[in-house]
């Protein structure tokens, strides 16, 4: 998660230019690139060592996290034009109750739900209404479906 030095979370709502970052990966590394921007691409390990403890806040909840990958923090700071820190929390668990069963899901810093579903038909309808070609990738879902009928996924 990206944070301000005071520990508050940074979101794409605050920094819309985060949406311009392209990410690719191989077995052990990620590569971040911003097409048409002067900041150079950066390649970094998927698994990184945790450094110092840092108290962070996300959606009015406090967590203990670890600063990590200082070179990546510098990259984001350069790109966004303000001091940014990258933190990780490999041991966070979210307890979800479904049909009276308790599930402990390993999470890092998701908004609140570990599954984000998007329906291509809904995105196409939204694109038509806005008059803008919206990419489904903009919504950062982890499940993409083509259900044929827009907004039917609201019933799931």
């Amino acid at each position: 998660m990206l944070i301000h030095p005071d520990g508050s979370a940074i979101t794409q709502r605050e920094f819309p230019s985060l949406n311009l970052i392209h990410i690719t990966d191989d077995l052990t590394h990620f590569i971040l690139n911003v097409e048409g921007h002067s900041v150079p691409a950066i390649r970094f390990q998927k698994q990184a060592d945790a450094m110092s403890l840092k108290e962070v806040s996300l959606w009015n909840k406090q967590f203990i996290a670890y600063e990590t990958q200082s070179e990546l923090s510098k990259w984001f700071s350069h790109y966004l034009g303000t001091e940014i820190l990258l933190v990780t929390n490999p041991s966070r668990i979210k307890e979800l109750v479904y049909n009276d069963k308790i599930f402990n899901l390993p999470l890092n810093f998701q908004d609140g739900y570990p599954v984000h579903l998007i329906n291509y038909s809904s995105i196409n309808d939204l694109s038509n209404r806005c008059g803008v070609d919206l990419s489904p990738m903009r919504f950062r879902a982890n499940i993409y479906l083509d259900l044929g009928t827009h907004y039917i996924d609201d019933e799931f």
Side-chain angles (χ1 to χ4, degrees), residues 7-77:
S8 59
I10 289 174
T11 68
Q12 193 169 305
R13 292 168 192 86
E14 181 182 0
F15 290 96
S17 60
L18 288 170
N19 189 50
L20 302 175
I21 297 172
H22 297 276
I23 187 165
T24 54
D25 71 326
D26 57 32
L27 289 177
T28 59
H29 290 80
F30 288 114
I31 301 155
L32 297 182
N33 182 38
V34 183
E35 202 170 305
H37 194 278
S38 63
V39 66
I42 186 169
R43 185 175 188 261
F44 60 97
Q45 292 182 341
K46 289 182 179 181
Q47 298 295 323
D49 293 332
M51 298 184 321
S52 60
L53 285 173
K54 182 81 175 168
E55 186 173 312
V56 299
S57 59
L58 177 64
W59 313 122
N60 299 318
K61 294 188 191 259
Q62 305 299 316
F63 301 97
I64 298 297
Y66 297 91
E67 285 186 50
T68 188
Q69 302 213 24
S70 59
E71 66 281 351
L72 196 52
S73 293
K74 290 176 188 172
W75 187 89
F76 276 105
S77 297

Side-chain angles (χ1 to χ4, degrees), residues 47-150:
Q47 298 295 323
D49 293 332
M51 298 184 321
S52 60
L53 285 173
K54 182 81 175 168
E55 186 173 312
V56 299
S57 59
L58 177 64
W59 313 122
N60 299 318
K61 294 188 191 259
Q62 305 299 316
F63 301 97
I64 298 297
Y66 297 91
E67 285 186 50
T68 188
Q69 302 213 24
S70 59
E71 66 281 351
L72 196 52
S73 293
K74 290 176 188 172
W75 187 89
F76 276 105
S77 297
H78 175 70
Y79 175 58
L80 297 175
T82 189
E83 186 178 357
I84 303 293
L85 299 172
L86 180 69
V87 295
T88 186
N89 187 358
S91 61
R92 184 171 167 228
I93 301 292
K94 181 167 181 92
E95 186 175 276
L96 294 177
V97 179
Y98 180 74
N99 289 340
D100 297 325
K101 293 183 182 178
I102 297 174
F103 297 90
N104 290 313
L105 301 173
L107 301 176
N108 210 335
F109 296 109
Q110 282 77 6
D111 286 358
Y113 299 96
V115 177
H116 294 221
L117 179 139
I118 202 91
N119 178 1
Y120 287 115
S121 297
S122 301
I123 298 302
N124 289 338
D125 181 67
L126 181 61
S127 290
N128 290 334
R129 289 179 189 219
C130 296
V132 176
D133 186 23
L134 298 171
S135 167
M137 297 305 289
R138 171 178 280 211
F139 298 92
R140 301 173 302 165
N142 53 14
I143 298 174
Y144 294 84
L145 301 172
D146 192 354
L147 299 173
T149 303
H150 49 274

